[in-house]
Amino acid sequence: MLDLSADKAIRTDSESSPETRMWGVRDDGPVAARPAPLVDPFGRAITYLRISVTDRCDFRCAYCMSEEMQFLPKRDLLSLEELDRLCGVFVERGVRKLRITGGEPLVRRDIMQLFRRLSRHLGSGALDELTLTTNGSQLARFAPELADLGIRRVNVSLDTLDPQKFKAITRRGDLSVVLAGIEAARNAGIKVKINAVALKGVNEHELPDMIRWAHGLDMDMTLIEVMPLGEIEGDRTDQFLPLSVAREGLAEHFTLTPLAHRTGGPARYVKVEETGGQLGFITPLTHNFCEGCNRVRLTCTGQLYLCLGQEDSADLRAPLRASSDDGPVRQAVIDAIARKPKGHDFVIERARPAASPRHMSVTGG
Ligand code: SAM
Ligand code: SF4
């Protein structure tokens, strides 16, 4: 049993109650309207939950999935009601931000029902942000309703502006559909951020143009390093472009001024002086970003992963289904957070299998 209440620095912006600052205590039911966040054994407040609502996708991005993916049987997935219930437990325990992801979240049937249900936490003030990460293929259809429900920002993954390259990377996507989705989101008043995976020899020389395009439309952009998650056909070392190298290349085009801005995640930001826009670098392989980690990830089958790069997880589906009372699942969440590891140990090298057998589409990117 770990007691963190005494003298460890707890990174949280709200007052911690004795209950949530002490691990191993039984959970006695609902807490006050704005509870102190759950705090892990390293003093990190867990305020951010990412939820993968499906492992399925209408694309097969070469770095993410294999061409012939074996998807989970539908019966293994949490229902939308169960996802809503679980999210409610986290919100009740101080999570302030929910990100819906996948797979492709907007291809899950009736997904807007979940957004509708979760938006009540925005209305009550329990949640600061409800957002999603999407490949953009369905955004044109859903953007107006998402905006109505209070979604203010969305991350759209887009690795190239070249239609042929886009088809080659995603294996089945249509660039024009994604661009229309981005436009629809912007027209609905949703702020779009573009996430691009930096791919050696694929988009590396296109990055300056993509940055000019994104910033020209007032969209921030973030570059992501390829992570060794899940088996794919090729070898990821062929795709791996260290962002330190990408950044050196960009510095020949732009003046990059580091910003202090942090999100509790693996991104570091610079201002691109020539465009006035913001550029993020997500470098889990070359930098240790774990000390400020504020997040955990829920899979579509109800596994809670405490760290993107570690295998330890907690099954929340069993306690959720065992009782209509939230007590058991609440306790399972508390027990899981008490096991959150200090950090990950990704290494990208020619060794196989992948460092983590889970595809990003299962854990949620
Ligand atoms: N389908 C949605 C999308 O593409 O935005 C959401 C899920 S996707 C798994 C989330 C993010 O993870 C995307 O930006 C994608 O580029 C990124 N991603 C997927 N596999 C990755 C990998 N092996 N390494 C780094 N990023 C990866
Ligand atoms: Fe689908 Fe997103 Fe993975 Fe691409 S990165 S295959 S869009 S889940």
Side-chain angles (χ1 to χ4, degrees):
M1 189 183 294
L2 285 162
D3 180 0
L4 299 171
S5 62
D7 49 19
K8 285 214 174 136
I10 293 175
R11 274 184 287 275
T12 164
D13 50 10
S14 50
E15 276 296 305
S16 299
S17 73
E19 186 198 1
T20 49
R21 288 163 61 191
M22 173 103 66
W23 283 111
V25 291
R26 288 296 314 175
D27 179 63
D28 298 324
V31 289
R34 185 162 184 171
L38 294 167
V39 177
D40 79 359
F42 303 96
R44 298 170 298 192
I46 307 306
T47 54
Y48 182 9
L49 175 67
R50 299 167 76 107
I51 308 113
S52 175
V53 295
T54 177
D55 64 328
R56 288 165 198 255
C57 187
D58 49 345
F59 293 179
R60 294 286 183 282
C61 300
Y63 51 80
C64 176
M65 292 191 179
S66 62
E67 181 91 63
E68 301 301 328
M69 283 291 285
Q70 281 292 327
F71 293 113
L72 295 163
K74 289 205 168 136
R75 64 174 180 280
D76 287 355
L77 265 54
L78 295 180
S79 68
L80 295 174
E81 291 75 16
E82 288 171 329
L83 284 165
D84 174 46
R85 210 179 128 200
L86 260 183
C87 287
V89 166
F90 279 93
V91 171
E92 190 184 79
R93 307 305 309 203
V95 160
R96 306 286 308 170
K97 175 171 174 177
L98 298 177
R99 178 177 296 281
I100 306 299
T101 178
E104 174 46 42
L106 296 182
V107 300
R108 172 134 188 195
R109 188 195 297 228
D110 296 329
I111 189 64
M112 293 310 288
Q113 281 181 16
L114 182 65
F115 280 104
R116 260 176 243 130
R117 290 284 300 154
L118 294 177
S119 69
R120 74 187 182 283
H121 299 300
L122 291 171
S124 74
L127 208 57
D128 293 330
E129 183 165 26
L130 174 60
T131 185
L132 69 151
T133 298
T134 173
N135 65 22
S137 68
Q138 315 295 316
L139 254 188
R141 181 151 60 112
F142 292 123
E145 187 173 359
L146 288 168
D148 283 348
L149 292 174
I151 280 74
R152 297 282 164 261
R153 300 193 298 176
V154 58
N155 288 357
V156 178
S157 304
L158 180 62
D159 305 323
T160 178
L161 289 170
D162 176 310
Q164 272 78 44
K165 265 191 215 168
F166 186 83
K167 181 69 97 192
I169 294 171
T170 62
R171 292 183 177 129
R172 48 187 76 175
D174 180 339
L175 177 64
S176 64
V177 173
V178 172
L179 294 179
I182 290 171
E183 196 181 343
R186 296 177 62 242
N187 288 341
I190 299 176
K191 181 111 176 115
V192 176
K193 179 162 80 75
I194 302 294
N195 282 345
V197 175
L199 298 164
K200 187 160 76 184
V202 179
N203 64 2
E204 76 177 286
H205 300 298
E206 197 193 335
L207 296 177
D209 282 344
M210 287 191 74
I211 291 166
R212 283 188 201 98
W213 167 77
H215 289 178
L217 294 175
D218 197 25
M219 303 186 291
D220 289 337
M221 188 159 157
T222 295
L223 301 178
I224 308 173
E225 246 169 28
V226 171
M227 288 179 255
L229 298 176
E231 285 292 295
I232 56 170
E233 282 91 357
D235 185 335
R236 281 201 179 81
T237 48
D238 295 337
Q239 309 169 337
F240 182 56
L241 173 64
L243 288 191
S244 52
V245 174
R247 190 170 169 157
E248 277 168 25
L250 291 173
E252 291 173 14
H253 296 261
F254 303 117
T255 312
L256 306 175
T257 308
L259 297 170
H261 173 61
R262 295 274 159 94
T263 59
R268 297 290 173 266
Y269 296 93
V270 297
K271 184 177 175 198
V272 180
E273 296 297 343
E274 288 76 4
T275 61
Q278 193 165 290
L279 179 66
F281 295 89
I282 299 189
T283 54
L285 301 171
T286 51
H287 276 254
N288 196 327
F289 58 85
C290 306
E291 66 189 23
C293 184
N294 62 354
R295 61 202 59 193
V296 289
R297 293 175 160 83
L298 183 68
T299 70
C300 52
T301 58
Q303 294 294 312
L304 185 71
Y305 281 92
L306 292 323
C307 172
L308 186 60
Q310 299 270 4
E311 287 317 298
D312 189 26
S313 68
D315 178 23
L316 300 184
R317 187 175 61 183
L320 187 76
R321 290 186 175 169
S323 167
S324 58
D325 177 69
D326 283 346
V329 70
R330 231 185 255 132
Q331 189 61 43
V333 169
I334 291 175
D335 294 344
I337 303 291
R339 298 207 316 264
K340 185 166 161 68
K342 191 169 183 193
H344 67 66
D345 40 34
F346 281 129
V347 181
I348 198 154
E349 53 188 25
R350 290 210 175 255
R352 302 195 74 178
S356 166
R358 281 175 285 135
H359 287 92
M360 185 81 118
S361 48
V362 171
T363 322

